[in-house]
Amino acid sequence: MRKVKIIEPLANETRNIEKLNVAAYCRVSTDNAKQLDSLDAQIRHYESFIKSNNKWTLAGVYYDEGMTGTSKDKRTGLLNLIKDCKEGKVNLIITKSISRLARNTADCLELVRSFTELGAYLYFEKENINTQSMESELMLSILAGLAENESLSISENTKWSIRRRFPNGTYKVSDPPYGYDARNGKLVINEEEANIVRHIFSETLAGKGSQKIANELNRRNIKSKRNSKWTANTILGMLQNERFIGDALYQKTYMDSNYKRHTNYGESDMYYIRDNHSPIISREDFEATALVLEQRAKEKNITKEDSKYLNRYAFSGKINCKHCGANFRRRTHTSGRHPIAWCCFTHIRNIKACPMKYIPDSSFKHAFITMFNKLVFGYGKILIPLYTSLQNFNNEDNLKLLEDIEIQLKENNQQRDVLVELLSKNYLDPAIYRESNNKLLQEAKKLQEEKNILNRMITSSSEELKELNKLLLFLAKADMINNFEDKLFNDFVKDISVFSREEININLKCGLSLKERLVI
């Protein structure tokens, strides 16, 4: 009979079980008492939560207080976490939500990739997303795009503070036009440049066209404001610039929610200040020049705000160079492998001004086909869960801020009522009343502005959710495609950002920005 020896199992406490080193990251954006209490509660929660799992070892709870999420550079807690990940002390990081980690697309992508390369993965509790299970760049791109709208409020507040200085004339110029220098925020005439400005107006009134004037200045090796070549458009812009008669028109352009700048045709307030600084051109010459330009425009049948070129192709006006900011133009090659291509307009005019070379039309189309097929393949596992979580995620923080502002407005109103009552009973000096009341009125005005900004942001987020819903409904019935379709591109794509001849971002109307590789 065979002998069987029984090998007893090792006791649990003696077995060598490799545990995950798990850390948590918390952040609050202000340092008021309520927020700090919340931070303490988060720290206690994560310490207890991690310790309760016998497969985990607590590597630490990292936190930042009173810091915004738009940039990682000033967050010491996050920087310490990155340092410990580099040293192999952390394998998994738990955080409440995407917005706690970053509200800036570039930082979010950089952080997720950096942690992944270091062997540390992130788990976002609110969105139920674990970066260890991500299989493609698609998810990373979506992940980052979701958090960026949060930074819009910071941008809006900055723009609001600048707009406040327009009406009372306290705005300080930092980028003076050709012919002027900026000194202590004021425009001072630069006589050398001013003589060129006078020459340009004089030549225009004498009948010379803008292109001829530009050519003459280039032949004389006279540099423009940014030390580049003179162009007809540069000359036309100067001939219509009210700064040369001593006036100032503020907010000629505005920036939309996607950080794109547009000419202001009445979408935002403008502020005109007469006799703001010393003039270079007389009002009579300026008005006479305007009549000359108007007559030329009539002869060429060109009207303001009208485009001379029709968007005949799907990519027309939708490809942007990230090197110089110019749009791409369609080019036809009479020889070579790429008969149709798109090229940066700055590069077309001056090869040295922008290094971006042409990209074949077929490369953009192939990139779109690849991106669309990724969406068809992955929308059920990625986009639908994200859409569900986003319905609350996008506006939750903003709604909380709205609630706080409403409370502050109510308190402000109550304080003003108290001042009125004290004044009526002769308990308060009229001068002190006026000073205190004015401060409260200014505070109320600021709060109301912030409230209006948040309301606009919530509306904007709702529009993007509608576009995402539209995309999901389409993808639910769509098959993968083999050929480029103009209508499909125009229905869902806002524009394309070109970083190099190898890498682009396809920016969808729903707010998502998806990276793709180019094949040339």
Side-chain angles (χ1 to χ4, degrees):
M1 185 177 178
R2 294 179 180 177
K3 291 183 178 180
V4 179
K5 182 180 179 181
I6 299 174
I7 301 173
E8 296 292 338
L10 293 172
N12 287 340
E13 60 270 14
T14 63
R15 273 196 284 175
N16 184 21
I17 300 175
E18 187 174 348
K19 293 186 176 184
L20 277 179
N21 295 320
V22 182
Y25 177 72
C26 318
R27 179 180 63 81
V28 292
S29 56
T30 63
D31 53 7
N32 64 42
K34 289 183 180 179
Q35 290 281 289
L36 294 179
D37 287 344
S38 170
L39 179 60
D40 288 338
Q42 288 181 59
I43 293 171
R44 290 195 301 272
H45 161 72
Y46 283 122
E47 286 177 344
S48 173
F49 177 65
I50 294 171
K51 288 177 180 178
S52 67
N53 191 322
N54 58 14
K55 296 180 181 179
W56 292 352
T57 298
L58 177 64
V61 178
Y62 301 78
Y63 61 89
D64 288 300
E65 57 187 62
M67 304 298 293
T68 66
T70 51
S71 175
K72 70 178 188 302
D73 297 332
K74 297 181 180 179
R75 290 192 272 165
T76 55
L78 181 60
L79 294 175
N80 288 334
L81 174 58
I82 293 170
K83 177 177 172 291
D84 287 350
C85 286
K86 287 179 180 177
E87 295 174 0
K89 296 178 181 178
V90 179
N91 307 121
L92 177 66
I93 303 155
I94 302 173
T95 189
K96 182 180 178 183
S97 68
I98 295 168
S99 64
R100 294 300 91 189
L101 179 70
R103 294 181 180 177
N104 171 282
T105 299
D107 279 357
C108 187
L109 284 170
E110 181 188 344
L111 284 169
V112 172
R113 290 172 186 153
S114 296
F115 283 129
T116 303
E117 288 171 3
L118 295 170
Y121 300 97
L122 292 111
Y123 176 67
F124 300 102
E125 286 189 296
K126 189 173 182 180
E127 293 79 25
N128 192 27
I129 295 173
N130 188 333
T131 60
Q132 188 171 14
S133 64
M134 295 182 187
E135 297 176 358
S136 69
E137 186 72 19
L138 171 64
M139 187 58 190
L140 282 176
S141 298
I142 293 171
L143 174 68
L146 303 182
E148 183 154 12
N149 279 346
E150 298 289 343
S151 66
L152 181 60
S153 60
I154 298 170
S155 172
E156 287 286 355
N157 283 336
T158 302
K159 288 188 284 186
W160 175 80
S161 68
I162 293 173
R163 286 196 296 266
R164 262 186 86 188
R165 298 198 289 272
F166 288 152
N168 57 24
T170 59
Y171 177 72
K172 292 187 176 182
V173 177
S174 58
D175 187 20
Y178 189 85
Y180 289 97
D181 293 325
R183 293 178 190 168
N184 299 320
K186 301 292 184 181
L187 290 179
V188 179
I189 294 176
N190 177 321
E191 278 302 332
E192 184 179 349
E193 293 181 356
N195 286 331
I196 301 300
V197 174
R198 296 185 187 105
H199 174 74
I200 290 170
F201 276 85
S202 176
E203 292 289 88
T204 302
L205 290 172
K208 270 194 180 180
S210 300
Q211 188 60 60
K212 288 185 178 180
I213 297 173
N215 292 340
E216 178 205 338
L217 294 174
N218 289 328
R219 279 195 302 271
R220 291 168 56 187
N221 291 320
I222 296 172
K223 297 296 184 183
S224 67
K225 190 68 180 176
R226 305 195 186 281
N227 292 324
S228 57
K229 294 280 186 181
W230 291 88
T231 66
N233 285 337
T234 304
I235 301 297
L236 280 172
M238 293 177 66
L239 294 172
Q240 300 172 80
N241 193 337
E242 79 293 334
R243 297 292 179 94
F244 296 125
I245 56 172
D247 296 349
L249 176 62
Y250 292 123
Q251 205 152 281
K252 296 178 185 178
T253 63
Y254 69 96
M255 193 173 288
D256 64 19
S257 59
N258 296 308
Y259 307 102
K260 281 204 164 187
R261 190 159 290 283
H262 305 275
T263 301
N264 186 0
Y265 292 120
E267 292 84 354
S268 297
D269 291 338
M270 288 190 278
Y271 305 89
Y272 196 94
I273 302 176
R274 190 180 174 92
D275 299 326
N276 182 67
H277 51 272
S278 300
I280 294 174
I281 303 298
S282 69
R283 292 185 185 275
E284 293 75 13
D285 285 349
F286 189 81
E287 291 168 3
T289 302
L291 292 174
V292 170
L293 296 178
E294 185 180 349
Q295 181 59 33
R296 288 180 187 170
K298 287 179 181 178
E299 291 170 0
K300 295 180 181 179
N301 196 28
I302 298 172
T303 58
K304 197 173 183 181
E305 300 179 41
D306 189 26
S307 175
K308 294 195 291 183
Y309 303 97
L310 294 175
N311 289 336
R312 296 161 53 192
Y313 308 100
F315 296 139
S316 295
K318 289 190 174 182
I319 304 176
N320 180 265
C321 176
K322 298 306 287 184
H323 278 277
C324 67
N327 280 343
F328 275 52
R329 296 283 180 89
R330 191 176 188 268
R331 309 285 282 179
T332 303
H333 296 162
T334 55
S335 62
R337 294 187 301 116
H338 307 120
I340 300 172
W342 294 83
C343 190
C344 169
F345 187 56
T346 302
H347 184 84
I348 293 172
R349 291 187 299 177
N350 182 359
I351 292 176
K352 294 180 180 178
C354 181
M356 184 68 71
K357 296 181 180 179
Y358 80 89
I359 296 174
D361 183 79
S362 57
S363 296
F364 284 117
K365 289 179 177 178
H366 178 76
F368 173 76
I369 292 169
T370 303
M371 181 220 69
F372 182 80
N373 288 338
K374 283 182 183 178
L375 289 176
V376 172
F377 176 77
Y379 86 95
K381 293 181 179 179
I382 297 173
L383 290 182
I384 290 177
L386 284 174
Y387 175 76
T388 303
S389 62
L390 269 177
Q391 286 177 309
N392 293 323
F393 167 73
N394 266 359
N395 289 327
E396 183 179 315
D397 288 350
N398 288 337
L399 289 171
K400 180 66 173 66
L401 285 172
L402 267 181
E403 183 182 336
D404 291 342
I405 288 173
E406 288 286 1
I407 292 170
Q408 292 177 60
L409 281 169
K410 186 176 179 181
E411 291 174 351
N412 182 284
N413 191 54
Q414 290 172 347
Q415 289 175 30
R416 281 185 282 140
D417 287 343
V418 170
L419 286 176
V420 171
E421 186 176 353
L422 291 173
L423 181 68
S424 65
K425 294 180 178 179
N426 295 322
Y427 294 155
L428 193 65
D429 184 87
I432 296 175
Y433 165 79
R434 284 193 296 271
E435 181 182 353
S436 301
N437 191 56
N438 285 339
K439 285 182 180 178
L440 288 170
L441 287 172
Q442 289 174 6
E443 180 187 337
K445 185 179 178 182
K446 180 182 177 182
L447 289 169
Q448 189 62 48
E449 286 280 355
E450 291 175 359
K451 178 182 174 182
N452 294 340
I453 288 168
L454 286 169
N455 280 323
R456 288 198 298 272
M457 287 173 59
I458 290 169
T459 302
S460 174
S461 298
S462 298
E463 288 300 317
E464 289 186 350
L465 276 174
K466 287 179 184 177
E467 287 290 340
L468 182 55
N469 184 51
K470 176 183 168 184
L471 176 62
L472 284 169
L473 291 173
F474 183 86
L475 292 172
K477 302 175 183 178
D479 296 320
M480 292 194 180
I481 59 173
N482 296 316
N483 300 308
F484 181 82
E485 299 176 21
D486 286 14
K487 186 178 185 305
L488 196 60
F489 179 86
N490 288 324
D491 282 349
F492 298 109
V493 176
K494 183 178 65 176
D495 55 37
I496 294 174
S497 301
V498 180
F499 294 93
S500 68
R501 296 188 86 203
E502 291 80 36
E503 183 182 298
I504 63 171
N505 269 10
I506 300 177
N507 307 309
L508 304 184
K509 292 179 180 178
C510 62
L512 303 182
S513 181
L514 309 179
K515 181 186 289 184
E516 285 298 334
R517 308 293 295 182
L518 289 175
V519 179
I520 298 179

